[in-house]
Amino acid sequence: MRTTIARTAVLVLMPLLMAACGQPAPAGPRVFFVQPQDGATVKSPVRLEFGAENFQIAAVPAGTVTESRPNMGHHHVGVDADCLPPGTAIPRAAPWVHFGDGKNVIEMQLPAGQHRLTLQIGDDMHRTQPDLCATISVNVTE
Ligand SMILES: [Cu+2]
């Protein structure tokens, strides 16, 4: 009797659970390191590769840019830097590197030791966007 009730419950609940799982919440934009992995031990020069989802990576238009295109931007890497708050103009100076050409890869020279790498999206005006930042740690060996 108890088994029957349990089986019935499973038969009734499973389709509901599967239906719930089959409909993922709408995914927001995301930026991440394709490589290296967080916590990796790497040799300099270190190949950094960036990925983005639900957000378009594009080169900054040529000439004077006075406004940003929506949902579009480029990568920036800060060495031993933290995520800047949304709406901040990313400095055009160390420790930040701009990828205004739309690239998503670089061979970066890093001194040996533990480093924090922050990947942050900036729009055409190089301003940070909400939730579009990721930080990893790497251990660079000689
Ligand atoms: Cu920039």
Side-chain angles (χ1 to χ4, degrees), residues 27 33 42 54 56 62 67 72 81 109-111 119 137 142:
F33 281 91
V42 291
N54 302 313
Q56 192 174 345
E67 60 180 24
M72 222 180 259
Q109 296 282 348
L110 288 172
L119 173 63
S137 293
E142 296 286 351

Side-chain angles (χ1 to χ4, degrees), residues 6-92:
R7 195 171 286 157
T8 304
V10 167
L11 287 174
V12 170
L13 289 174
M14 277 307 277
L16 293 174
L17 288 172
M18 287 167 79
C21 292
Q23 297 192 336
R30 187 169 87 89
V31 66
F32 53 93
F33 281 91
V34 175
Q35 63 168 310
Q37 295 209 326
D38 189 19
T41 296
V42 291
K43 265 191 179 162
S44 184
V46 184
R47 184 181 171 86
L48 309 182
E49 192 180 338
F50 323 128
E53 281 175 3
N54 302 313
F55 189 86
Q56 192 174 345
I57 300 300
V60 177
T64 307
V65 178
T66 55
E67 60 180 24
S68 293
R69 296 166 293 177
N71 300 312
M72 222 180 259
H74 57 279
H75 294 291
H76 303 77
V77 167
V79 178
D80 296 321
D82 293 312
C83 291
L84 298 166
T88 307
I90 300 171
R92 292 170 195 262

Side-chain angles (χ1 to χ4, degrees), residues 60 74-76 90-92 97-100 120-127:
V60 177
H74 57 279
H75 294 291
H76 303 77
I90 300 171
R92 292 170 195 262
V97 178
H98 291 244
F99 295 79
Q120 188 152 23
I121 293 293
D123 63 14
D124 289 334
M125 304 285 286
H126 314 273
R127 283 182 309 227

